[in-house]
Amino acid sequence: DVTVEDQVARVALDQTFRNDQAQELEGVYRFAIPPDAALQRLAMYVDGKLEESAVVERMQARRIYEELVYRRVDPALLEWAGTGRLDLRVYPLRANQDKRLMLAYTQSLPRLYDDWTLTVPLPEVDQPVGSFDVAVRVKGCAGCELTSTSHQVTVERSGDDAIVHVHQNGAKDLDSFVLHARDPRKTATVATHTAGDERYLMVRAPAELGSKPREYKPRTWIVLDDVSASREASELRAQADVIDALAKELDENDKLGVIAVDVEAREKLAPTRVLDVERRALRASLAGEG
């Protein structure tokens, strides 16, 4: 189950594995979450009760695991193998019984123009999967174009949302689920979040650049350079670097002026055409301002 809202995906996987053999086994579950994702939850059903995982130091975790295995209690040892790869040791996998695991993570989905892509990795399996189901709710995207290069999908609309479904029985290979979205909306979107006493606001607004370049008009840039006594020499040099970088990027027919400010204002550079500015002398003068 996946929910995508404000280009953040919340992914929850509910997976059931079966031991068809007549003896207890120890299993290793391997899964690689996307490298830019944050693991939110890992839980396992033990004797019909959902048990949440806990994070402890690796050697301590292994000692706990060995002790529980010795007592024939059902533990789960999760190890972070780097680059988003998880290794989970599970024991016992009881004969002719199921083992159910739940995994959840969040991930930001980069967007390029109107397009973004969701990729949900799936664990490697060497036997056909009894039932594979995916449901992705894309908030506020009822008018989006949604396609998949990995699976056959159906798309339904629910109010302002789009819901993508996949259903397969007996799948022999579980490829990563990939969903491409093209969102042609040109309206601004607003997202808010509250954490304790802090409130956050994000606004995403498209910029209409137009098809014709605007007519160039020379501009005059006036820079206020803070040279008060609280500024250290390294800060003055950094400010001089910023002004020099600005002069380098401006149109040569623009004008640039610099005013040094402390208890009073002093003109360091009268408005001068950028092409005529002695940048090296200007930078040296600004960096040495006391």
Side-chain angles (χ1 to χ4, degrees), residues 72-84:
R72 304 189 68 77
V73 177
D74 200 347
L77 172 62
L78 173 66
E79 294 185 357
W80 185 263
T83 64

Side-chain angles (χ1 to χ4, degrees), residues 1 3 9 79 87 104 131 137 154 171 208 226 252 262 272 274:
D1 288 310
T3 299
E79 294 185 357
D87 286 348
S131 178
R137 177 179 287 270
T154 59
E208 188 60 50
D226 183 359
E252 61 183 17
D262 47 18
T272 304
V274 171

Side-chain angles (χ1 to χ4, degrees), residues 28 37 64 76 85 87 160 190 229 252 259 266-267 285:
V28 178
I64 295 173
R85 191 171 183 86
D87 286 348
D160 294 332
V190 179
E252 61 183 17
I259 298 177
R266 300 184 303 281
E267 188 176 70
S285 174

Side-chain angles (χ1 to χ4, degrees), residues 24-27 43-53 64-77 88-95 97-101:
E24 291 183 352
L25 301 175
E26 180 182 34
M44 179 176 68
Y45 278 89
V46 178
D47 297 327
K49 182 181 178 181
L50 186 62
E51 299 286 352
E52 301 289 343
S53 65
I64 295 173
Y65 181 87
E66 299 298 340
E67 178 184 349
L68 293 177
V69 168
Y70 178 76
R71 291 163 45 194
R72 304 189 68 77
V73 177
D74 200 347
L77 172 62
L88 178 67
R89 292 172 60 188
V90 182
Y91 177 85
L93 296 174
R94 304 192 186 282
Q97 291 189 24
D98 294 339
K99 175 59 65 177
R100 185 178 175 190
L101 302 171

Side-chain angles (χ1 to χ4, degrees), residues 45-186:
Y45 278 89
V46 178
D47 297 327
K49 182 181 178 181
L50 186 62
E51 299 286 352
E52 301 289 343
S53 65
V55 178
V56 296
E57 188 270 337
R58 172 175 289 189
M59 294 308 298
Q60 179 185 357
R62 292 197 173 186
R63 288 194 296 269
I64 295 173
Y65 181 87
E66 299 298 340
E67 178 184 349
L68 293 177
V69 168
Y70 178 76
R71 291 163 45 194
R72 304 189 68 77
V73 177
D74 200 347
L77 172 62
L78 173 66
E79 294 185 357
W80 185 263
T83 64
R85 191 171 183 86
L86 307 174
D87 286 348
L88 178 67
R89 292 172 60 188
V90 182
Y91 177 85
L93 296 174
R94 304 192 186 282
N96 298 309
Q97 291 189 24
D98 294 339
K99 175 59 65 177
R100 185 178 175 190
L101 302 171
M102 301 187 72
L103 175 74
Y105 64 87
T106 58
Q107 179 188 18
S108 177
L109 304 177
R111 177 170 176 165
L112 179 62
Y113 302 111
D114 294 339
D115 298 340
W116 53 263
T117 300
L118 166 72
T119 301
V120 180
L122 297 171
E124 298 176 1
V125 293
D126 55 8
Q127 297 182 20
V129 177
S131 178
F132 172 64
D133 294 276
V134 178
V136 182
R137 177 179 287 270
V138 186
K139 294 280 191 175
C141 214
C144 296
E145 178 185 336
L146 300 167
T147 59
S148 175
T149 55
S150 61
H151 295 79
Q152 184 177 352
V153 301
T154 59
V155 181
E156 64 173 296
R157 315 296 173 181
S158 177
D160 294 332
D161 302 342
I163 305 177
V164 179
H165 293 283
V166 176
H167 176 73
Q168 289 181 317
N169 289 325
K172 295 183 178 180
D173 296 309
L174 281 185
D175 293 328
S176 295
F177 173 70
V178 179
L179 179 68
H180 295 290
R182 173 159 293 177
D183 185 356
R185 294 175 298 172
K186 301 300 182 182

Side-chain angles (χ1 to χ4, degrees), residues 174-218:
L174 281 185
D175 293 328
S176 295
F177 173 70
V178 179
L179 179 68
H180 295 290
R182 173 159 293 177
D183 185 356
R185 294 175 298 172
K186 301 300 182 182
T187 58
T189 56
V190 179
T192 60
H193 177 71
T194 301
D197 296 333
E198 303 293 336
R199 298 183 68 250
Y200 302 89
L201 172 69
M202 182 190 73
V203 178
R204 182 183 292 113
E208 188 60 50
L209 300 179
S211 57
K212 296 182 179 180
R214 294 184 178 181
E215 180 182 355
Y216 168 73
K217 294 182 179 180

